[in-house]
Amino acid sequence: MSETTVWIVVIGLTCVTVATRSAFLVLGKRYTLPDRLQHALRYAPVCALVALITPELALAGGSLDLSLSNPKLVAGIGAAMVMVATRNMIAAMAVGMLAFTAMRLLAG
Amino acid sequence: MTPERVFGRDAAVARRRRAAFMRGLQAVAPALIPTGAWGLVTGVAMLQAGLTTVQALGMTLLVYAGSAQLAALPLLAGSAPLSVILLTAAVVNLRFVIFSAALQPYFGHFPVMRRALIGYFATDVGFAMFLSRYGDAPPAERGGEGQLWFFVGMASGIWFAWQSMSVLGIVLAAQVPGTWGLDFAAILGLIAMTIPMIAGRPAVVGAVTAGIVAVLAAGLPLKLGLAAAVVGGIAAAMATELLLERRRGTP
């Protein structure tokens, strides 16, 4: 890839960020969403975050792996359970990393 | 930059603004761990995809959208057409259109440049934190100065954590071995951050639906699965809410 190509892509991606993140805000009050829809959008952040997470846990090399030998799935569920039980972020991440590392080492 | 130039000359106003700014910074503090980890991973990934240090610095400072960057990098390295790279990034970023629609009732009345800036800094984490704090604010109380400065404080924390760790990743790319599992630490951080936000039955149903759709639709072209998961999750959460309301007999 040439120097110019990279910079064109960088500028293009910057425009994409601005266009998507600011779309509705820049339009201002001209287009107001119905109350019901605005209320529904409160669920957007949770859905987006979960949707970023689950493919990382359940897909191994692009194919579905829901077995107990999938280190990411087991460690991810473990971390989630620790978080539900303790609400302690550091503990959840530590348990998850330990489980992940242990399973990878055991699998050789 | 002096505090006076940031918060204004009037002492009483400045004190209020600074207090709101600090509240935002405090609220976002725990989320800075996964944010920083993601930034580091993205920084390393840019160099591994073949960008030079200067190109990677330019990308992180301008684009400021980790998921879009991570989606675009393999395409860029594989010499995909510009249209495919930009379209993929736009689809990965579709969730931000939904976010900015949700922020519009709060910030829609500010001058246009300020609105555009607020949008640029409304990342996943920032948006999630803002709505979990002010999502229930009655319409009349939306978009006050306290909320604006809360957002600015939060967004500053996220920007600094992301950019500093991303730059660190760019500088240290050669020294960070893939075997450390840093990318997985970032995922664990996201999990820990997301769990407390899943409160109430509609949110649980929405989260489970979004999670399943994201996995099943992961193979869709242009990374459409992410947008499909967000829309599906919101729809499922709303359907649950309506069902619960009907069962209680309230309109």
Side-chain angles (χ1 to χ4, degrees):
Chain A
M1 60 194 147
S2 75
E3 177 81 12
T4 332
T5 316
V6 172
W7 286 109
I8 291 173
V9 167
V10 167
I11 302 295
L13 290 177
T14 309
C15 296
V16 168
T17 300
V18 174
T20 50
R21 287 215 185 120
S22 305
F24 264 90
L25 280 165
V26 167
L27 292 175
K29 291 275 187 199
R30 257 172 294 169
Y31 303 91
T32 331
L33 296 177
D35 284 348
R36 195 87 221 182
L37 191 55
Q38 272 182 26
H39 176 76
L41 292 184
R42 286 195 319 162
Y43 295 112
V46 166
C47 295
L49 289 167
V50 173
L52 287 171
I53 294 165
T54 52
E56 300 283 343
L57 301 183
L59 300 176
S63 53
L64 190 63
D65 181 1
L66 294 179
S67 72
L68 284 178
S69 58
N70 176 353
K72 290 191 173 178
L73 184 67
V74 174
I77 292 174
M81 281 162 55
V82 172
M83 193 65 199
V84 169
T86 66
R87 297 279 144 143
N88 184 331
M89 191 164 190
I90 304 293
M93 287 180 74
V95 168
M97 266 332 261
L98 276 176
F100 178 62
T101 313
M103 282 186 72
R104 281 197 311 170
L105 288 177
L106 287 177
Chain B
M1 227 179 328
T2 60
E4 203 174 69
R5 284 201 49 196
V6 178
F7 297 110
R9 278 175 196 286
D10 185 307
V13 173
R15 204 175 312 121
R16 266 206 316 276
R17 286 175 177 172
R18 189 192 315 237
F21 180 92
M22 293 311 290
R23 275 200 301 281
L25 211 50
Q26 245 163 27
V28 84
L32 296 186
I33 300 170
T35 303
W38 266 115
L40 188 66
V41 169
T42 310
V44 173
M46 284 186 288
L47 269 266
Q48 282 170 353
L51 298 196
T52 65
T53 303
V54 177
Q55 289 167 346
L57 288 174
M59 183 182 256
T60 193
L61 290 173
L62 290 170
V63 181
Y64 191 45
S67 52
Q69 284 166 243
L70 290 174
L73 284 173
L75 298 173
L76 182 61
S79 301
L82 180 66
S83 56
V84 172
I85 299 178
L86 295 187
L87 200 56
T88 303
V91 174
V92 170
N93 273 0
L94 269 183
R95 65 189 190 285
F96 293 132
V97 179
I98 298 174
F99 294 180
S100 85
L103 288 181
Q104 193 242 34
Y106 295 87
F107 299 128
H109 59 284
F110 286 119
V112 67
M113 268 317 287
R114 198 181 292 180
R115 295 202 299 265
L117 271 179
I118 289 171
Y120 179 79
F121 288 102
T123 57
D124 290 287
V125 174
F127 172 69
M129 291 280 148
F130 184 81
L131 270 210
S132 58
R133 177 89 169 208
Y134 291 113
D136 290 320
E141 287 169 24
R142 286 179 186 164
E145 207 181 51
Q147 292 175 13
L148 175 69
W149 284 94
F150 176 89
F151 182 89
V152 174
M154 211 182 55
S156 310
I158 295 169
W159 188 89
F160 189 77
W162 174 271
Q163 297 294 14
S164 57
M165 292 305 280
S166 191
V167 169
L168 194 68
I170 293 167
V171 175
L172 295 180
Q175 276 84 45
V176 179
T179 49
W180 281 9
L182 256 183
D183 49 345
F184 190 62
I187 303 281
L188 290 175
L190 273 192
I191 293 175
M193 198 189 87
T194 308
I195 295 283
M197 290 182 197
I198 311 177
R201 244 189 285 179
V204 172
V205 174
V208 170
T209 309
I212 293 174
V213 174
V215 171
L216 295 181
L220 287 184
L222 300 170
K223 307 251 173 198
L224 267 167
L226 183 53
V230 175
V231 173
I234 294 175
M238 278 312 281
T240 311
E241 208 177 278
L242 288 176
L243 266 174
L244 290 174
E245 274 176 15
R246 196 161 302 165
R247 202 179 297 168
R248 278 197 304 266
T250 46

